[in-house]
């Protein structure tokens, strides 16, 4: 038997190409006409972006870097340059390899950058080694997203959740310089007690870790306590049979705009990543009078830090408990399929993947029809809308009405006039087939939830 050889050897790449550090065109946001005084007033960090492209196409790698640039700008930075390196996997020591790290140092010096942002989560060792080479602060994608969340958190709960996530990220990355972090002092030795008072004690870094863990425990207790109020409201809504709809999707896909269009909620709408961190719950009605709640939630992003998912778990329970998910995707994005996949990954993490999902392709007024049609072929049953212009909203509302769970119990009752509250609840939470006002009260033929049916059972029509 003879072996047959071909020039094709798997999907290997040329060595020079694999190790190349490529510039991503068009990502610089350097301000052209800004004086030194104006720059110091703006206090913008000047950053160089660097990413390692390990799989997928070059277009996907560059899209990831464009998203990183948008994240950096949202955090208040000025993007000076962006570089991608093709590798099989990130370098274990410096993320991009020692030779390329020195080339990155040259770029940092030539651009005058004061920060390097890496498109991935770096280990503590990689952060330290890369900083030693480039001589400026190094930040990874996770720290950048946490910083944006910290800037946008407004409520007490939101601030506590972000602080907890930051501490979970910082704990394994605590490090010190010189001997100040390695000194050991016994509890009584520091007070000059002398013989018998000296002992091994704690290093400075151990003390910091202990304080961090104590603060994290306190934050977890506070978040649990604050989540109790939301759980009480959810329980009350379930008791009254109010269906819930949660709006989920990629950051800046237009979720808050959609909520405002449907309910007139007046929620902050901003063309920025992670403008919404605190869930907003508003009531809406179907055309047949049934009430339901609509919840705006925090946006997701590719590689959303697991620390954030864990810290925001109490907030994200609104999603897992919903009867219907409106999965909003930005139709004007180059890769809406990537957005859908990233959001569904987080939904799996929080146990919401089994909730009925309705895909809503937003920003139809700015979208490429070819891209929209591609999404519609991949997502049967999706609806195309524009929250800005209102196009497609009637179709969306009709779909929500059709997908909401309907009351299950048929009732034929005669409700006394002094129980108008029951009549109102039937109209709000049930489906009324017939209504007649008689001398003895209001006769209702309707479908309601079991809890309301039990209350109405004392008022039979005959």
């Amino acid at each position: 038997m003879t072996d047959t050889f071909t020039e094709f050897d798997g999907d290997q790449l040329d060595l020079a190409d694999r190790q190349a550090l490529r510039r991503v065109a068009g990502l610089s946001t350097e301000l052209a006409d800004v004086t030194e005084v104006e720059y110091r007033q703006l206090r913008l960090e000047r950053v160089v972006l660097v990413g390692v492209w390990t799989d997928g196409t070059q277009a996907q790698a560059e899209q990831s870097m464009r998203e990183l640039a948008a994240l950096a700008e949202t955090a208040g930075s000025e993007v000076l340059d962006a570089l991608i390196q093709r590798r099989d996997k990130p370098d274990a020591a410096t993320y991009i390899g020692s030779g390329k790290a020195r080339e990155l140092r040259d770029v940092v010096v030539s651009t005058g950058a004061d920060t390097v942002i890496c498109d991935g989560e770096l280990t503590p060792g990689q952060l330290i080694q890369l900083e030693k080479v480039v001589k400026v602060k190094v930040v990874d994608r996770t720290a950048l997203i946490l910083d944006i969340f910290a800037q946008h958190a407004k409520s007490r709960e939101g601030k506590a959740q972000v602080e907890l996530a930051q501490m979970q990220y910082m704990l394994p990355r605590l490090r010190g310089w010189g001997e100040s972090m390695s000194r050991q002092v016994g509890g009584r030795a520091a007070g000059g007690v002398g013989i018998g008072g000296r002992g091994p004690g704690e290093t400075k870094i151990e003390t910091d870790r202990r304080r961090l863990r104590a603060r994290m425990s306190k934050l977890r207790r506070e978040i649990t306590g604050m989540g109790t109020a939301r759980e009480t409201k959810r329980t009350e809504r379930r008791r009254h049979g109010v269906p819930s709809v949660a709006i989920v999707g990629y950051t800046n896909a237009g979720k808050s705009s959609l909520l405002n269009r449907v309910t007139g909620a007046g929620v902050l709408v901003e063309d920025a990543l992670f403008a919404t961190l605190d869930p907003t719950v508003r009531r809406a009605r179907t055309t047949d009078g049934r009430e339901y709640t609509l919840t705006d939630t925090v946006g997701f992003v590719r590689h959303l830090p697991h620390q954030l998912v864990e810290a925001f778990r109490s907030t994200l329970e609104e999603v897992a408990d919903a009867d219907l998910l409106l999965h909003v995707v930005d139709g004007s994005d180059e890769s809406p399929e990537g957005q859908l996949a990233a959001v569904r990954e987080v939904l799996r993490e929080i146990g919401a993947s089994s909730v009925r999902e309705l895909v809503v392709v937003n920003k139809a007024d700015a979208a490429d029809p070819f891209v929209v049609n591609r999404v519609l072929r991949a997502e049967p049953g999706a609806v195309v809308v524009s929250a800005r212009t209102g196009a497609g909203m009637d179709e969306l509302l009709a779909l929500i009405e059709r997908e909401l769970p309907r009351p299950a119990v048929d009732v034929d009752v005669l409700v006394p006039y002094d129980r108008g509250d029951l009549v109102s609840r039937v109209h709000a939470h049930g489906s009324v087939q017939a209504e007649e006002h008689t001398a003895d009260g209001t006769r209702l033929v309707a479908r309601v939830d079991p809890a309301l049916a039990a209350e109405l059972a004392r008022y039979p029509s005959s």
Side-chain angles (χ1 to χ4, degrees):
M1 179 179 175
T2 59
D3 293 330
T4 303
F5 294 94
T6 66
E7 293 184 358
F8 178 74
D9 185 15
D11 289 317
Q12 294 189 44
L13 296 158
D14 180 78
L15 186 62
D17 183 53
R18 185 188 311 156
Q19 294 179 341
L21 202 60
R22 302 180 178 184
R23 274 195 164 79
V24 180
L27 281 191
S28 173
T29 59
E30 185 172 6
L31 304 176
D33 302 315
V34 63
T35 67
E36 181 69 10
V37 173
E38 287 171 334
Y39 168 72
R40 291 188 184 282
Q41 287 176 339
L42 289 170
R43 295 183 183 276
L44 292 177
E45 288 185 273
R46 297 162 61 84
V47 304
V48 171
L49 312 179
V50 60
V52 172
W53 166 23
T54 57
D55 54 24
T57 65
Q58 182 177 340
Q60 289 172 331
E62 293 189 356
Q63 171 64 18
S64 182
M65 292 299 287
R66 279 191 286 273
E67 182 175 271
L68 187 69
L71 288 167
E73 289 169 355
T74 300
S77 299
E78 178 187 349
V79 178
L80 303 178
D81 211 340
L83 309 164
I84 293 181
Q85 185 191 19
R86 185 67 167 104
R87 294 179 67 92
D88 291 332
K89 61 181 180 180
D91 182 70
T94 59
Y95 183 65
I96 56 173
S98 57
K100 297 306 161 188
R102 288 192 290 272
E103 288 183 30
L104 177 61
R105 169 63 185 163
D106 294 338
V107 173
V108 167
V109 171
S110 65
T111 58
D114 52 37
T115 305
V116 169
I117 301 179
C118 300
D119 191 22
E121 183 168 333
L122 273 61
T123 66
Q126 287 172 323
L127 280 170
I128 293 170
Q129 292 303 317
L130 192 55
E131 278 186 351
K132 283 181 179 178
V133 178
V134 299
K135 309 295 185 188
V136 295
K137 181 170 69 175
V138 175
V139 174
D140 63 14
R141 183 188 180 94
T142 299
L144 176 62
I145 293 173
L146 288 171
D147 185 77
I148 295 170
F149 269 59
Q151 290 182 39
H152 286 193
K154 297 292 187 293
S155 71
R156 182 165 160 259
E157 185 176 12
K159 289 177 180 177
Q161 288 168 324
V162 173
E163 186 181 352
L164 175 60
Q166 286 179 313
M167 287 183 172
Q168 288 173 325
Y169 172 80
M170 285 166 51
L171 188 61
R173 291 170 174 80
L174 279 180
R175 63 185 192 267
W177 294 264
E179 295 182 356
S180 65
M181 286 293 196
S182 60
R183 277 202 306 267
Q184 290 187 327
V185 179
R188 295 166 63 198
V193 174
I195 294 173
R198 286 177 282 268
E202 291 180 303
T203 62
K204 175 71 164 59
I205 200 164
E206 286 169 348
T207 304
D208 288 344
R209 282 185 180 135
R210 180 168 50 81
R211 287 173 177 165
L212 262 184
R213 290 191 182 101
R215 176 63 179 158
M216 286 164 61
S217 297
K218 186 172 183 291
L219 285 170
R220 286 192 181 99
R221 288 194 300 271
E222 289 179 1
I223 291 169
T224 301
M226 287 182 277
T228 304
R230 189 181 300 106
E231 175 58 32
T232 302
K233 291 177 182 176
R234 279 203 302 270
T235 302
E236 187 69 10
R237 290 199 296 267
R238 284 195 294 265
R239 189 173 71 83
H240 288 297
V242 182
S244 62
V245 178
I247 305 175
V248 300
Y250 213 72
T251 180
N252 210 29
K255 298 182 296 299
S256 296
S257 299
L258 193 68
L259 177 73
N260 289 344
R261 173 66 67 171
V262 174
T263 68
V267 174
L268 166 72
V269 173
E270 189 177 350
D271 186 17
L273 306 185
F274 304 116
T276 301
L277 289 190
D278 301 309
T280 302
V281 182
R282 292 291 183 270
R283 287 184 180 261
R285 285 182 183 273
T286 61
T287 55
D288 61 0
R290 284 181 295 145
E291 273 192 349
Y292 64 95
T293 60
L294 205 59
T295 305
D296 187 17
T297 61
V298 62
F300 302 144
V301 72
R302 291 178 186 88
H303 313 301
L304 189 68
H306 67 273
Q307 296 95 340
L308 276 173
V309 175
E310 186 60 37
F312 276 74
R313 189 166 295 278
S314 62
T315 300
L316 295 173
E317 284 171 0
E318 295 279 357
V319 176
D321 285 348
D323 296 295
L324 176 66
L325 299 182
L326 296 188
H327 187 163
V328 183
V329 60
D330 182 356
S332 65
D333 188 79
E334 292 180 10
S335 177
E337 297 90 348
Q339 290 191 3
L340 287 163
V343 172
R344 284 169 177 160
E345 182 181 341
V346 180
L347 292 177
R348 281 193 296 272
E349 282 190 57
I350 62 174
S353 54
S354 61
V355 182
R356 173 78 175 107
E357 177 191 48
L358 176 59
V359 175
V360 182
V361 183
N362 192 22
K363 304 186 183 181
D365 53 308
D368 181 343
F370 174 76
V371 173
V372 172
N373 287 331
R374 196 175 71 209
V375 175
L376 291 177
R377 285 195 300 271
E379 301 291 339
V383 59
V384 181
V385 305
S386 169
R388 189 176 70 84
T389 66
M393 292 304 299
D394 290 340
E395 183 184 355
L396 173 61
L397 292 172
L399 282 171
I400 293 173
E401 183 173 334
R402 190 184 73 193
E403 294 295 338
L404 284 177
R406 291 186 173 273
V409 182
D410 290 306
V411 294
D412 185 349
V413 293
L414 184 63
V415 183
Y417 285 120
D418 63 352
R419 292 305 310 270
D421 60 307
L422 284 176
V423 177
S424 298
R425 284 173 59 189
V426 172
H427 278 282
H429 310 311
S431 177
V432 178
Q433 275 92 49
E435 182 176 7
E436 180 186 359
H437 297 287
T438 69
D440 299 320
T442 305
R443 186 186 176 196
L444 291 172
V445 178
R447 288 176 66 86
V448 296
D449 62 86
L452 184 51
E455 291 188 57
L456 292 169
R458 70 185 72 174
Y459 306 115
S461 62
S462 58

